[in-house]
């Protein structure tokens, strides 16, 4: 559930502002509204933090010798600050040196075929009235240069001739052919350029040696940066608080934020102890910055590592779908991973990690609980579908066939399952294959999950006494149910699930069309209801294209769940291919090791691909299809109280 919040405003004496903020941070109950402070102290903190970030990045690339256990290089905050600034300075210096080396190297490349060029020699000759200019020209054109131009050939190759013009005047000789182009002298002599490059490289080596020597302080820099984050947060609030500016002793300062309703009495008591005035109220619908604090039992909380990784936070006025997210994500993970053997490997590895943490008396990482849950679910799915490491069913022990569910089991892939209503085509009974049964299962998941979305939306509107708007949600639910049969008919088997006509005495065609039509009308009329039916209809008319496409979207959203079957099928095909490649060489003693390597690599790669598929497809169905139908935009801000940070 999303914990209810109270909007609070605290008023205190401006002269006590800094101490009050320290006390407020100790209380650690208030999520402050966004503030943007400005002060010299805050600027200094931000500059130090930026330096620490750069220093940490630079030193993090250095492979420092491993420190002895229990020994840690520690510096004071002032020393760390100066060190970070020095590292940043040397980083800029290194960048400049590399740029100089690049420019000098480019200049040397320009004269690589000329040999050594000494600017001083050119100046010496010029003082004695001998002016030399360097030119290049296509080799076949050199002999065609005007005979009145005095040239000196330096060298030539298959394409280019390099020559100098002697006393050709200040500019370009008028009668010099266009194919010749002048080569400007280098910035300094080429020998000096080479010396400059060596000197710059020496300086870079010294900088890198400095980095290597200071890498031992990397943990201290990380701690310093973390502490600065707390200082920046504090000073930002201190500088950004609203306050009176008259300069009187009794000037007031104030700030606003949010406190969980369950902690309001505790917060009021703390305000009284600190002589602060406090006012509070319920957040309004217009308050868009209300933070979200989720409160669920330990089992539902297993989904938090995933939602934290995704950065998805429901808005305060939205739904907490943590439990539904966990339920369907677990099912989706199992179906996409698909293989009970893979699930067993992940489960064993996860249990070892949990036991290791407990043996070391360390807290168990929350993500391990989620991984253990989905790996067990994968084992269950592998058991009911008789899928273990892609091994052919005929090779598996009979036990695995017995524990599988026949109508979706690979052990019965060739069986045609008859439906209860006994559909026939030309007198021949029509049934469903194993793959078709799995497709039906996928679409049934879609129907269940998306129905939950519309039922929750309708229930909230009923609870908010918006009964007519709830009718619009019921209309969407009716469209969903009717479209479910359309999907079964068009995608699975039109003979078993006829889109029109009847099954026995049940007119399924009329029922399905009626559900879609009536549902569309109800949704069209009431979906935008906010007190006026006319205004709701007008709003639907304004968005008529989107409304009409919404019916098509219901179809595509249901069909989208077929990805669970398709991706699982692809994973099974890969594991089967790996086994096929490794099988023939497993019996050879010489090639046995190669077969094992192939099996480990192939199945390992398949497991990695399955993980990526879960992230892409399993997460998508929860955060897109499901949330679109429930009306969630994940617009929330996570509850982060203004509190003291844990010391490193």
């Amino acid at each position: 559930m999303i914990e209810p919040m109270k909007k609070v405003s605290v008023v205190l004496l401006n002269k006590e502002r800094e101490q009050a903020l320290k006390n407020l941070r100790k209380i650690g109950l208030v999520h402050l509204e966004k503030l943007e402070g400005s002060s010299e102290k805050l600027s200094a903190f931000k500059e130090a933090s930026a330096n620490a970030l750069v220093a940490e990045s630079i030193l993090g690339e250095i492979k420092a010798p491993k420190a002895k256990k229990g020994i840690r290089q520690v510096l004071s905050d002032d020393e760390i600050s100066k060190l970070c600034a020095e590292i940043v300075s040397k980083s800029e210096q290194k960048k400049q040196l590399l740029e100089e080396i690049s420019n000098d190297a480019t200049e040397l490349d320009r004269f690589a075929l000329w040999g050594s060029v000494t600017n001083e020699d050119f100046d010496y000759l010029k003082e004695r009235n001998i002016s030399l200019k360097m030119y290049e020209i296509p080799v076949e054109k050199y002999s065609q240069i005007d005979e009145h131009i005095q040239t000196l050939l330096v060298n030539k190759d298959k394409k280019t001739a390099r020559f100098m013009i002697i006393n050709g005047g200040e500019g370009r000789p008028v009668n010099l052919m266009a194919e010749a182009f002048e080569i400007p002298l280098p910035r300094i002599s080429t020998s000096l350029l080479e010396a400059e490059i060596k000197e710059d490289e020496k300086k870079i080596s010294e900088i890198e040696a400095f980095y290597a020597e200071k890498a031992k302080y990397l943990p201290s820099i990380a701690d310093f940066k973390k502490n600065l984050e707390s200082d920046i947060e504090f000073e930002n609030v201190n500088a950004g608080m609203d306050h009176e500016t008259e300069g009187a002793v009794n000037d007031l300062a104030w700030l606003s934020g949010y406190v969980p309703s369950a902690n309001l009495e505790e917060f009021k008591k703390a305000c009284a102890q600190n002589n602060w005035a406090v006012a509070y109220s319920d957040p309004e619908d217009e308050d868009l910055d209300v933070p979200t604090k989720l409160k669920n039992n330990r089992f539902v909380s297993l989904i938090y590592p995933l939602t934290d990784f995704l950065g998805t936070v429901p808005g305060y006025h939205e739904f907490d779908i943590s439990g539904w997210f966990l339920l369907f994500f677990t099912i989706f993970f199992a179906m996409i991973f698909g293989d009970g053997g893979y699930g067993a490997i992940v489960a064993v590895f996860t249990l070892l990690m949990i036991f290791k943490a407990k043996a070391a008396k360390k807290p168990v990482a929350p993500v391990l609980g989620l991984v253990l849950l989905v790996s067990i679910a994968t084992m269950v799915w592998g058991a009911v579908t008789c899928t273990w490491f892609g091994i052919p069913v005929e090779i598996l022990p009979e036990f695995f066939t017995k524990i599988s569910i026949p109508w979706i089991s690979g052990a019965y892939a060739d069986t045609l399952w008859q439906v209860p209503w006994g559909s026939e085509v030309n007198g021949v009974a029509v049934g469903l294959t194993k793959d078709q049964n799995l497709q039906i299962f996928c679409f049934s998941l879609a129907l269940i999950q998306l129905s939950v979305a519309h039922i929750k939306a309708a229930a909230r509107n009923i609870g908010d006494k918006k009964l007519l708007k709830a009718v619009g949600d019921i209309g969407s639910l009716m469209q969903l149910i009717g479209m479910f049969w359309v999907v079964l008919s068009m995608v699975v088997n039109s003979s078993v699930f006829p889109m029109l006509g009847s099954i026995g005495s049940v007119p399924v065609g009329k029922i399905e069309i009626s559900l879609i039509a009536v549902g569309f009308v109800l949704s069209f009329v009431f979906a935008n209801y906010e007190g006026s039916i006319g205004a709701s209809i007008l709003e639907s008319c304004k968005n008529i294209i989107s409304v009409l496409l919404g019916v098509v979207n219901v179809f595509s959203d249901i069909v989208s769940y077929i990805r669970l079957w398709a991706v699982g099928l692809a994973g099974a095909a890969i594991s089967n291919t790996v086994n096929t490649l490794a099988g023939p060489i497993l019996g050879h003693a010489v090639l046995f090791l190669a077969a094992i390597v192939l099996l480990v690599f192939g199945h390992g790669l398949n497991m990695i691909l399955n993980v990526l598929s879960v992230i892409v497809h399993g997460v998508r169905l929860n955060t897109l299809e499901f949330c679109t139908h429930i009306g969630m935009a994940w617009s929330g801000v996570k509850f982060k109280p203004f509190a003291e940070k844990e010391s490193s």
Side-chain angles (χ1 to χ4, degrees):
M1 60 171 285
I2 296 176
E3 283 202 49
M5 290 283 166
K6 291 290 184 181
K7 187 173 185 178
V8 298
S9 296
V10 179
V11 182
L12 45 91
L13 289 174
N14 189 35
K15 64 182 181 180
E16 299 175 355
R17 182 173 62 188
E18 190 163 333
Q19 183 59 47
L21 287 177
K22 291 178 181 178
N23 293 341
L24 187 65
R25 192 157 64 172
K26 288 180 181 178
I27 296 170
L29 292 175
V30 186
H31 176 106
L32 296 177
E33 290 185 332
K34 189 174 182 180
L35 294 172
E36 291 294 339
S38 177
S39 68
E40 291 184 5
K41 191 174 182 181
L42 180 60
S43 298
F45 282 149
K46 287 183 176 180
E47 182 181 356
S49 178
N51 288 344
L53 181 63
V54 174
E56 187 179 38
S57 175
I58 291 172
L59 297 188
E61 298 177 359
I62 306 296
K63 289 186 178 180
K66 196 173 182 181
K68 293 182 180 179
K69 193 173 182 180
I71 298 177
R72 186 176 181 183
Q73 301 292 340
V74 180
L75 294 177
S76 67
D77 285 353
D78 187 53
E79 290 172 323
I80 287 291
S81 180
K82 291 179 180 178
L83 174 60
C84 292
E86 187 176 4
I87 290 172
V88 171
S89 175
K90 288 188 178 294
S91 171
E92 294 297 323
Q93 182 186 358
K94 180 180 176 181
K95 188 184 299 182
Q96 184 178 352
L97 290 170
L98 288 171
E99 187 175 345
E100 289 178 2
I101 290 174
S102 176
N103 292 337
D104 289 348
T106 301
E107 193 77 340
L108 284 175
D109 287 342
R110 194 160 64 89
F111 294 95
L113 298 176
W114 281 86
S116 179
V117 177
T118 306
N119 293 25
E120 291 76 10
D121 291 344
F122 282 79
D123 294 338
Y124 176 81
L125 291 172
K126 190 172 184 180
E127 290 174 359
R128 285 154 179 76
N129 298 318
I130 302 175
S131 174
L132 297 177
K133 290 185 180 180
M134 298 184 294
Y135 282 85
E136 290 184 356
I137 195 170
V139 67
E140 69 274 8
K141 297 287 185 178
Y142 179 70
S143 59
Q144 302 174 22
I145 295 176
D146 193 306
E147 59 182 10
H148 294 96
I149 299 175
Q150 189 175 0
T151 64
L152 175 64
L153 181 65
V154 176
N155 63 50
K156 62 181 179 179
D157 51 34
K158 292 182 178 180
K159 293 184 178 180
T160 306
R162 296 164 194 86
F163 65 98
M164 288 190 288
I165 294 180
I166 304 172
N167 294 331
E170 289 297 325
R172 179 186 179 90
V174 177
N175 51 349
L176 180 63
M177 57 181 57
E179 289 84 351
F181 61 93
E182 184 178 357
I183 306 297
L185 285 173
R187 177 173 58 85
I188 56 177
S189 301
T190 54
S191 59
L192 294 179
L193 286 174
E194 292 172 348
E196 193 174 83
I197 289 175
K198 289 181 180 179
E199 181 63 24
D200 288 347
E201 288 175 341
K202 180 182 177 182
K203 291 178 181 178
I204 289 175
S205 297
E206 291 172 353
I207 292 173
E208 290 176 344
F210 172 82
Y211 289 161
E213 198 275 327
K214 301 301 180 183
K216 59 189 176 185
Y217 298 115
L218 187 58
S220 295
I221 293 175
D223 293 344
F224 175 68
K225 184 167 70 71
K226 184 176 180 181
N227 292 334
L228 275 175
E229 292 173 359
S230 178
D231 293 338
I232 290 172
E233 179 189 37
F234 182 91
E235 185 57 29
N236 184 59
V237 175
N238 184 32
M241 279 181 67
D242 291 323
H243 58 87
E244 294 179 315
T245 57
E246 297 176 1
V249 176
N250 294 324
D251 277 355
L252 300 177
W254 56 90
L255 50 74
S256 299
Y258 297 90
V259 174
S261 297
N263 302 115
L264 182 61
E265 292 303 319
E266 179 186 353
F267 180 68
K268 288 166 59 180
K269 183 178 179 181
C271 289
Q273 292 173 348
N274 286 278
N275 297 316
W276 303 334
V278 60
Y280 57 90
S281 63
D282 292 323
E284 302 291 338
D285 290 342
E286 293 76 21
D287 292 325
L288 302 178
D289 57 349
V290 185
T292 301
K293 184 180 181 183
L294 300 179
K295 184 179 180 180
N296 289 293
N297 58 48
R298 291 182 64 184
F299 179 75
V300 174
S301 299
L302 290 175
I303 197 62
Y304 290 170
L306 177 61
T307 53
D308 289 344
F309 169 75
L310 297 172
T312 52
V313 181
Y316 180 74
H317 300 291
E318 294 182 340
F319 295 92
D320 175 19
I321 61 167
S322 300
W324 294 108
F325 198 132
L326 178 64
L327 171 63
F328 287 105
F329 176 77
T330 302
I331 297 172
F332 298 160
F333 186 101
M335 293 179 68
I336 290 173
F337 235 72
D339 195 296
Y342 291 174
I345 290 177
V346 176
V348 170
F349 179 77
T350 305
L351 286 172
L352 290 175
M353 295 285 288
I354 293 174
F355 293 149
K356 182 180 178 181
K358 288 186 174 295
K361 296 183 179 179
K362 295 181 179 179
V364 177
V367 70
L368 293 179
L370 177 62
V371 174
L372 182 61
L373 173 65
V374 296
S375 61
I376 292 174
T378 305
M379 291 174 62
V380 172
W381 182 256
V384 300
T385 58
C386 200
T387 308
W388 301 91
F389 295 111
I391 299 173
V393 175
E394 55 271 14
I395 300 178
L396 285 172
E398 188 178 354
F399 165 77
F400 291 105
T401 301
K402 288 183 177 180
I403 63 174
S404 65
I405 297 178
W407 56 276
I408 58 172
S409 171
Y412 301 89
D414 298 328
T415 303
L416 194 66
W417 300 93
Q418 302 300 317
V419 293
W421 49 89
S423 296
E424 293 186 355
V425 176
N426 297 326
V428 179
V430 177
L432 298 168
T433 64
K434 184 262 295 185
D435 284 341
Q436 289 175 330
N437 287 331
L438 285 172
Q439 292 172 16
I440 295 171
F441 184 77
C442 293
F443 298 142
S444 299
L445 282 175
L447 177 63
I448 294 170
Q449 187 178 30
L450 301 183
S451 294
V452 166
H454 292 294
I455 291 170
K456 285 182 70 68
R460 166 169 284 191
N461 284 325
I462 292 172
D464 293 341
K465 297 182 179 180
K466 298 178 180 179
L467 300 181
L468 291 181
K469 192 165 186 176
V471 173
D473 295 314
I474 294 173
S476 298
L477 178 62
M478 293 172 67
Q479 290 183 69
L480 179 69
I481 296 171
M483 198 63 72
F484 172 70
W485 188 270
V486 174
V487 171
L488 294 183
S489 178
M490 295 184 66
V491 179
V492 181
N493 192 317
S494 59
S495 298
V496 177
F497 305 103
M499 187 180 300
L500 302 175
S502 303
I503 294 179
S505 59
V506 180
V508 291
K510 293 181 180 179
I511 294 174
E512 130 209 344
I513 293 174
S514 298
L515 284 171
I516 296 173
V518 174
F520 175 79
V521 171
L522 293 178
S523 179
F524 186 87
V525 174
F526 299 108
N528 301 300
Y529 181 80
E530 293 294 343
S532 169
I533 294 179
S536 178
I537 295 174
L538 181 60
E539 188 66 27
S540 295
C541 290
K542 289 179 182 178
N543 301 288
I544 187 64
I545 301 300
S546 298
V547 172
L548 293 174
L549 288 176
V551 181
V552 180
N553 288 339
V554 174
F555 176 87
S556 63
D557 286 345
I558 297 174
V559 173
S560 182
Y561 282 70
I562 202 172
R563 69 184 67 231
L564 299 171
W565 166 73
V567 176
L569 192 65
I574 292 174
S575 61
N576 182 62
T577 301
V578 172
N579 292 341
T580 302
L581 293 174
I585 57 177
L586 271 175
H588 297 275
V590 178
L591 300 176
F592 180 78
L593 184 60
I596 296 299
V597 171
L598 176 59
L599 286 172
V600 171
F601 174 78
H603 286 291
L605 178 62
N606 195 23
M607 291 176 71
I608 293 172
L609 293 175
N610 285 339
V611 170
L612 295 176
S613 297
V614 168
I615 294 174
V616 173
H617 302 291
V619 170
R620 173 206 160 99
L621 292 175
N622 280 293
T623 57
L624 185 60
E625 275 80 357
F626 178 58
C627 290
T628 298
H629 282 256
I630 203 173
M632 282 187 62
W634 297 104
S635 58
V637 177
K638 190 173 183 179
F639 178 75
K640 291 182 179 178
F642 184 63
E644 293 180 330
K645 302 296 187 292
E646 295 182 4
S647 58
S648 302

